Amino acid sequence: MDKQRKYLFQSWKKRGVKGDYSMLYEKYNDTHYCEKCGVVLNNDIITQMKCLDHDHDSGLFRAILCWECNINDQNRQGCKIRKDNISGFKNISYHHRTQSWCFRRQVDKKIVRKYFDNKIDAICYKYIVLLKIKSNYY
């Protein structure tokens, strides 16, 4: 089994995806366009990264989506992992597994995450980061 396939299987299992991983991998590998918006899937651009969308309650596969469509669907459905994002705080979510709040953002095509014990600290950190970014531009 090649490294990419092994990594994806571990990732899907960790996220609770259920089903025949070999069949899912074939579908994942053969899909080149988002099945919702039709954008060309490109793993070099964060919003166009290929995602395996699944139901977070049952674990059943739904579609291959771009990152943007996958996140928007999760926010609309009140996904357990990201249900607190619908409160209006973009890039902040609650992780039940670690029981912590996470602020995440993209830096040089990589996702950087910082974890906090409470939501207020995550929100404050977000605005401190935004102020630092803004002050560097002016």
Side-chain angles (χ1 to χ4, degrees), residues 75-134:
N75 287 340
R76 247 192 270 44
Q77 294 167 4
C79 166
K80 287 180 186 175
I81 295 170
R82 302 183 193 283
K83 73 178 179 185
D84 292 296
N85 281 9
I86 60 175
S87 66
F89 298 104
K90 187 177 179 184
N91 301 336
I92 296 175
S93 59
Y94 183 74
H95 291 249
H96 291 278
R97 195 174 299 148
T98 60
Q99 295 185 343
S100 61
W101 290 89
C102 177
F103 170 73
R104 68 192 180 291
R105 70 185 187 107
Q106 181 182 354
V107 178
D108 299 328
K109 297 183 181 179
K110 293 182 182 177
I111 298 293
V112 176
R113 292 177 176 86
K114 184 150 176 78
Y115 294 91
F116 300 91
D117 291 331
N118 60 58
K119 187 176 183 178
I120 300 298
D121 288 345
I123 294 167
C124 291
Y125 182 80
K126 173 184 178 170
Y127 288 105
I128 289 168
V129 168
L130 291 174
L131 286 172
K132 285 182 182 178
I133 291 170
K134 186 176 180 182

Side-chain angles (χ1 to χ4, degrees), residues 2-137:
D2 62 32
K3 285 185 180 183
Q4 180 190 15
R5 181 183 291 223
K6 185 177 179 181
Y7 170 78
L8 284 172
F9 287 6
Q10 288 173 346
S11 174
W12 295 341
K13 186 175 182 179
K14 181 176 153 185
R15 287 176 171 77
V17 177
K18 293 183 176 126
D20 181 356
Y21 291 157
S22 296
M23 286 178 45
L24 289 175
Y25 181 76
E26 284 181 34
K27 171 106 172 123
Y28 181 86
N29 227 17
D30 293 341
T31 304
H32 303 290
Y33 298 93
C34 175
E35 294 179 347
K36 184 168 185 180
C37 71
V39 71
V40 175
L41 297 170
N42 178 354
N43 285 337
D44 293 332
I45 302 170
I46 190 88
T47 58
Q48 295 174 356
M49 283 177 54
K50 193 184 289 191
C51 296
L52 186 123
D53 183 38
H54 68 285
D55 184 294
H56 286 249
D57 292 326
S58 68
L60 298 177
F61 165 77
R62 288 191 288 226
I64 304 295
L65 302 177
C66 67
W67 184 83
E68 184 104 10
C69 288
N70 191 39
I71 292 298
N72 288 337
D73 280 354
Q74 288 176 4
N75 287 340
R76 247 192 270 44
Q77 294 167 4
C79 166
K80 287 180 186 175
I81 295 170
R82 302 183 193 283
K83 73 178 179 185
D84 292 296
N85 281 9
I86 60 175
S87 66
F89 298 104
K90 187 177 179 184
N91 301 336
I92 296 175
S93 59
Y94 183 74
H95 291 249
H96 291 278
R97 195 174 299 148
T98 60
Q99 295 185 343
S100 61
W101 290 89
C102 177
F103 170 73
R104 68 192 180 291
R105 70 185 187 107
Q106 181 182 354
V107 178
D108 299 328
K109 297 183 181 179
K110 293 182 182 177
I111 298 293
V112 176
R113 292 177 176 86
K114 184 150 176 78
Y115 294 91
F116 300 91
D117 291 331
N118 60 58
K119 187 176 183 178
I120 300 298
D121 288 345
I123 294 167
C124 291
Y125 182 80
K126 173 184 178 170
Y127 288 105
I128 289 168
V129 168
L130 291 174
L131 286 172
K132 285 182 182 178
I133 291 170
K134 186 176 180 182
S135 67
N136 289 338
Y137 286 119

